[in-house]
Amino acid sequence: MAVKIGEHIDLGKFPLLLAPMEDVSDPPFRYVCKQNGVDMMYTEFISSEGLIRDAAKSKQKLDIFEYERPIGIQIFGSDIESMRQSAEICTLAHPDLIDINYGCPVKNVACRGAGASLLQDIDKMVAMTKAVVDATTLPVTVKTRLGWDDNTKNVYEVAERLQDVGIKALSIHGRTRAQMYKGQADWRMIRDVKRNPRIQIPIFGNGDVDSVEKAAAWRMEYEVDGIMIGRASIGYPWIFREIKHFFETGEHLEGPTIDERVEVCKTHLIKSIEWKGDKTGIFEMRRHYANYFKGIPNFKEYRTKLVGLGDHNEILEVLEEIKERFKMHTRTRSSIYR
C-alpha cells in the first residue's frame, strides 16, 4: 500500500526521504539526490523570524524547483505568531507541504526556545503546530526527537497530540536532544509510536541509517513507513539508489566509479554556481569535496587544490585530472559509510 501525506502526496510503497540539513540540503545538493532516486526532500530549515523580517538568507532558502517535487519547506521558531505568519509566507512559495522542526539540538536554535527546545513544553508545541496548520491549506508535517533527555522521552504524547491538531506525518530521530548526534540512535520508541493504534499518520524513522543492510533490516524490525537519511548522503547521494535497488532485487549495486563521482561532483558545483553565483557557489562547494572522494588513498593534495581555487574552469580541470589519476579506483561500499 502506498504511503500518502494528506490527500495528494503519494510517496509509493516505502519512501526514502532526504533529511533537512543546515548548510547542506540546498537546491544544488537536492538536485544530485533527486537524480539518485530520493522520494521526498526538504529545504534547509528556515527561521520564522528571518522570513518575517524579509531576511535575504531566509528568503533564498524558499527557492524550490518543479523537478524537486514533492518537496517540503521546513520552518522553526520560538514564537507562535511568528510561526503562523511564516507558514503563510511559505504557502506562497508553493511547496507540497510545510514541515516544522522540533528536533534541531544545536545551541543557537534550542537555547532560543526553538527546535528541540519545544520538547520541554508540549502544550506550547501543540499550540504552535495548530497555528501553523490553521494558517495554510498545505499538509503540515513535523520532525522531532524522542524527548529532551533520558528523563523526558515524551514522543508518544507528542505523536498523539500533534496528530490530533492536524499534522499529516511525523519523522522521528531516534535520539534525545541531550544526546545531540552522539551514541546510537534508538529506534525502539519509533516502532512503539508506529504500533500505537491511535496513530494513523505515516511515521518515518531517522538516525544512523548509513548502509543498505541497515535500511533493509530496520525497515522490517522497526515497522516504519519510510526512512529519512541525512549525514550518510553527504558526498554519497548514491545511497538512495543503492537502497532502492536492494529493496527491489535483494542484490547490491556496485559503488560508483571514479568517473561517476567526478561527474556528480561537477554537476553539484555547476548547480551551486547557477544558484548562488560564481563566488558564493565555489566557496560553499568547498565543504563537499572531501566527502565526494572519501576513501581514495593519497587524495589530500587534490582536496587542497580544489579548496584553494576560485575559478570554476580551473576546478573542472582538476576534477578531470582526478578522473584520470584514480581511474582504477572504485569506491567500495564498506569505505563510504560512516
Side-chain angles (χ1 to χ4, degrees):
M1 200 166 87
V3 175
K4 295 187 78 173
I5 296 177
E7 294 179 21
H8 305 297
I9 303 174
D10 187 331
L11 297 178
K13 192 173 178 184
F14 189 84
L16 302 179
L17 288 66
L18 175 65
M21 293 177 282
E22 176 70 352
D23 292 330
V24 176
S25 52
D26 57 11
F29 180 72
R30 298 198 302 261
Y31 181 87
V32 296
C33 289
K34 190 70 173 181
Q35 296 276 294
N36 281 281
V38 70
D39 294 298
M40 193 166 88
M41 306 185 291
Y42 302 83
T43 62
E44 300 169 79
F45 62 59
I46 307 174
S47 160
S48 57
E49 299 293 338
L51 282 179
I52 292 166
R53 292 196 314 270
D54 212 26
K57 189 175 181 185
S58 295
K59 289 296 238 188
Q60 188 185 36
K61 289 180 182 178
L62 291 174
D63 287 355
I64 54 175
F65 300 89
E66 282 304 310
Y67 64 78
E68 297 184 295
R69 297 188 185 282
I71 185 162
I73 291 176
Q74 192 189 69
I75 55 175
F76 74 96
S78 60
D79 180 76
I80 293 173
E81 177 57 19
S82 296
M83 287 289 281
R84 187 194 67 76
Q85 290 180 41
S86 66
E88 292 177 345
I89 295 167
C90 289
T91 303
L92 297 175
H94 304 296
D96 297 283
L97 60 87
I98 293 173
D99 188 77
I100 306 174
N101 182 315
Y102 293 136
C104 181
V106 300
K107 278 186 179 177
N108 67 354
V109 174
C111 293
R112 291 180 184 172
S117 175
L118 274 299
L119 286 162
Q120 299 175 101
D121 189 345
I122 306 304
D123 289 344
K124 183 177 179 181
M125 180 194 281
V126 171
M128 183 178 285
T129 305
K130 186 176 189 311
V132 171
V133 169
D134 291 346
T136 182
T137 54
L138 297 168
V140 173
T141 62
V142 161
K143 183 167 191 278
T144 191
R145 288 184 168 233
L146 302 179
W148 178 255
D149 57 26
D150 283 344
N151 299 317
T152 56
K153 289 183 177 177
N154 47 17
V155 72
Y156 304 138
E157 179 188 353
V158 166
E160 288 191 358
R161 292 184 66 184
L162 295 190
Q163 178 182 266
D164 289 348
V165 294
I167 71 165
K168 301 301 182 186
L170 179 65
S171 301
I172 305 170
H173 182 100
R175 290 181 174 88
T176 63
R177 188 271 170 176
Q179 284 179 273
M180 302 294 285
Y181 294 101
K182 295 173 184 154
Q184 288 189 316
D186 182 357
W187 282 51
R188 291 171 299 178
M189 289 184 74
I190 304 175
R191 177 179 58 202
D192 291 345
V193 170
K194 179 60 192 171
R195 285 179 173 176
N196 180 350
R198 274 207 61 207
I199 297 298
Q200 302 298 314
I201 57 174
I203 301 296
F204 303 122
N206 174 232
D208 293 354
V209 178
D210 55 10
S211 70
V212 168
E213 291 83 1
K214 216 178 262 188
W218 291 9
R219 175 185 184 177
M220 300 301 292
E221 185 175 353
Y222 297 113
E223 304 168 20
V224 290
D225 295 296
I227 289 173
M228 179 180 279
I229 297 172
R231 288 174 291 167
S233 67
I234 299 173
Y236 205 82
W238 301 278
I239 191 169
F240 298 106
R241 77 174 187 188
E242 290 181 9
I243 291 171
K244 284 191 159 184
H245 183 81
F246 189 81
F247 284 169
E248 288 164 12
T249 67
E251 297 172 355
H252 288 288
L253 268 182
E254 286 293 315
T257 63
I258 192 68
D259 278 19
E260 281 183 288
R261 278 192 273 168
V262 167
E263 288 307 311
V264 170
C265 186
K266 280 164 68 173
T267 299
H268 193 163
L269 171 66
I270 290 162
K271 290 289 179 186
S272 188
I273 291 168
E274 284 175 1
W275 186 55
K276 301 169 187 169
D278 250 44
K279 187 177 178 182
T280 307
I282 288 169
F283 177 77
E284 294 194 358
M285 189 65 193
R286 289 174 181 171
R287 65 173 70 103
H288 294 284
Y289 296 126
N291 291 308
Y292 272 116
F293 300 103
K294 186 178 173 70
I296 292 184
N298 307 313
F299 187 76
K300 189 175 179 182
E301 65 170 296
Y302 283 97
R303 181 188 171 276
T304 303
K305 270 189 190 178
L306 289 168
V307 299
L309 292 171
D311 179 88
H312 73 271
N313 288 316
E314 291 178 0
I315 296 170
L316 294 174
E317 283 174 17
V318 173
L319 288 170
E320 284 300 316
E321 196 181 320
I322 290 167
K323 195 188 286 189
E324 190 60 32
R325 164 82 188 275
F326 298 103
K327 60 184 174 186
M328 301 307 290
H329 183 91
T330 299
R331 190 183 212 172
T332 60
R333 287 182 302 107
S334 60
S335 75
I336 63 170
Y337 300 128
R338 27 217 182 277

